Amino acid sequence: MERTKCLIIGSGPAGFTAAIYTSRANLSPIVYEGIEPGGQLTTTTEIENFPGYPEGIGGTEMMAQLKQQAQRFGADVRFGVVTDLDLDVRPFVATIDGEKKIEADAVIVATGASAKYLGLESEMKYRGQGVSACATCDGFFYRKQDVAVVGGGDTACEEATYLASICKQVYLIVRKPFLRASKAMQERVFNTPNIKVLFEYNTVEVLGDEDGVTGARLRHSSGEELTIDIMGFFLAIGHHPNTELFKGKLELDEEGYIKTIPGTSKTNIEGVFAAGDVKDPHYRQAITAAGSGCIAALDCERYLLSR
Ligand code: NDP
């Protein structure tokens, strides 16, 4: 069976940063890219808040560069999905695409999280063309325009408030007659004059043309329909961490995120490290994921040296 010192699962900024560091430390890591090579950033258009790119950079382009950088130092980046992982044996054993098995002395989990979408066909059609699940990433492209945010939690309120500071009008589409967000966040929303909260509305269809989103058709719980003119449609209805594979194997919190020893990337299993959004329900930024990947690589390197 093939054996590696360091297996990295996931290919977002956390996975590739871990690959850059572990390959430069001569650990010859093998990276399995997973279902969505390049991770969530490949679903955004332009990234303007990653330090070092004064003109901004496309999400797909940035991930291609991170991959190249990891490969330059010898990281073995492979297309494939880890479908099983045995953490009860040493070395650990990963199954790739249900077939191939590979042994690993250490594992870095960087499988990320996925934003939840409503599941509308029209929403998928305009993804990256006005439909986004990240106001911090994409909000800037809609400055001085009208936009909508879907959701009633802290993320939705935070994103609506952020968008209100750069956009003309923000509609907050909430399916219930109340917000779930903390009182402080609610107050901020209610005190922002250019946020209009639309309670008890669900989105029926995202409207658009060849240039992207132009509006949304909403339905009130009473059945009445409302069409709003917007250029950006932001989802903030939660994320789910990609941790199916680790259930019953690694300690997860109640939301399913991997628990790590605070200030480190160490999981409850020695030799298994977690980095990026799979362990971070709060910050979820490319730069924080990259930093977290670096921490995991350093923890991994120290672990392998200490054995
Ligand atoms: P939440 O799960 O708290 O909220 C999700 C929101 O989306 C809810 O209002 C929910 O509605 C709504 N929703 C879910 N599915 C749909 C759907 N299909 N259609 C319409 N609406 C839908 O997620 P958040 O991302 O807001 O927050 C996650 C965690 O992170 C929370 O614990 C939050 O407190 C925390 N957080 C803290 C922040 C801070 O402290 N600054 C900032 C951001 C997040 P419903 O209420 O009807 O279920």
Side-chain angles (χ1 to χ4, degrees):
M1 202 188 308
E2 188 180 15
R3 182 163 175 171
T4 179
K5 287 194 200 96
C6 175
L7 174 69
I8 298 173
I9 311 175
S11 57
F16 279 140
T17 304
I20 292 166
Y21 272 76
T22 49
S23 53
R24 290 188 82 247
N26 289 331
L27 296 181
S28 312
I30 294 177
V31 182
Y32 276 98
E33 291 189 291
I35 296 165
E36 190 173 45
Q40 282 188 81
L41 284 188
T42 58
T43 66
T44 64
T45 40
E46 187 95 347
I47 297 159
E48 291 184 328
N49 54 6
F50 199 97
Y53 297 98
E55 305 303 325
I57 181 166
T60 307
E61 194 188 346
M62 183 169 124
M63 294 321 299
Q65 290 190 0
L66 279 180
K67 179 174 171 176
Q68 260 177 29
Q69 195 175 348
Q71 286 173 320
R72 182 181 151 207
F73 299 110
D76 183 349
V77 183
R78 300 177 183 180
F79 189 70
V81 177
V82 176
T83 47
D84 198 11
L85 187 61
D86 189 347
L87 300 177
D88 290 330
V89 292
R90 300 296 168 118
F92 306 120
V93 177
T95 307
I96 316 302
D97 296 325
E99 290 174 5
K100 182 184 157 67
K101 289 194 189 295
I102 180 166
E103 290 179 327
D105 295 319
V107 175
I108 296 176
V109 178
T111 48
S114 303
K116 292 182 190 162
Y117 285 82
L118 297 171
L120 302 170
E121 210 176 291
S122 54
E123 176 193 42
M124 288 302 134
K125 185 171 167 191
Y126 296 111
R127 213 163 134 174
Q129 274 195 290
V131 172
S132 162
C134 181
T136 326
C137 322
D138 299 330
F140 197 62
F141 304 110
Y142 304 96
R143 54 191 182 274
K144 298 196 173 78
Q145 312 285 348
D146 292 351
V147 297
V149 178
V150 184
D154 279 317
T155 303
C157 290
E158 201 168 74
E159 303 216 332
T161 314
Y162 165 69
L163 289 167
S165 68
I166 51 177
C167 299
K168 199 163 88 197
Q169 171 77 57
V170 179
Y171 297 98
L172 185 58
I173 305 167
V174 185
R175 66 179 173 181
K176 292 217 172 108
F178 55 84
L179 293 171
R180 179 203 283 231
S182 61
K183 279 279 167 286
M185 288 305 296
Q186 294 194 27
E187 267 171 37
R188 212 173 297 168
V189 164
F190 294 133
N191 290 333
T192 305
N194 60 337
I195 299 178
K196 183 167 185 188
V197 187
L198 300 172
F199 283 115
E200 289 188 75
Y201 276 96
N202 274 299
T203 309
V204 183
E205 189 184 2
V206 179
L207 307 170
D209 58 24
E210 63 279 2
D211 293 328
V213 170
T214 58
R217 192 156 63 82
L218 315 178
R219 187 174 296 140
H220 190 260
S221 55
S222 64
E224 163 236 349
E225 286 211 355
L226 171 71
T227 298
I228 51 173
D229 295 330
I230 47 165
M231 295 198 72
F233 183 82
F234 291 89
L235 281 311
I237 59 172
H239 283 73
H240 52 83
N242 300 320
T243 49
E244 274 304 311
L245 183 64
F246 312 108
K247 277 188 186 150
K249 295 175 179 161
L250 291 177
E251 224 178 291
L252 308 178
D253 70 10
E254 55 284 359
E255 309 279 328
Y257 289 87
I258 296 177
K259 278 191 181 175
T260 49
I261 297 171
T264 78
S265 63
K266 295 175 189 172
T267 69
N268 62 310
I269 295 196
E270 216 188 358
V272 181
F273 306 90
D277 287 12
V278 76
K279 56 157 281 190
D280 171 19
H282 296 295
Y283 300 104
R284 299 194 297 247
Q285 300 300 300
I287 185 68
T288 52
S292 167
C294 163
I295 290 170
L298 296 177
D299 284 344
C300 177
E301 193 184 337
R302 280 176 202 146
Y303 164 75
L304 290 171
L305 277 174
S306 70
R307 291 187 322 147

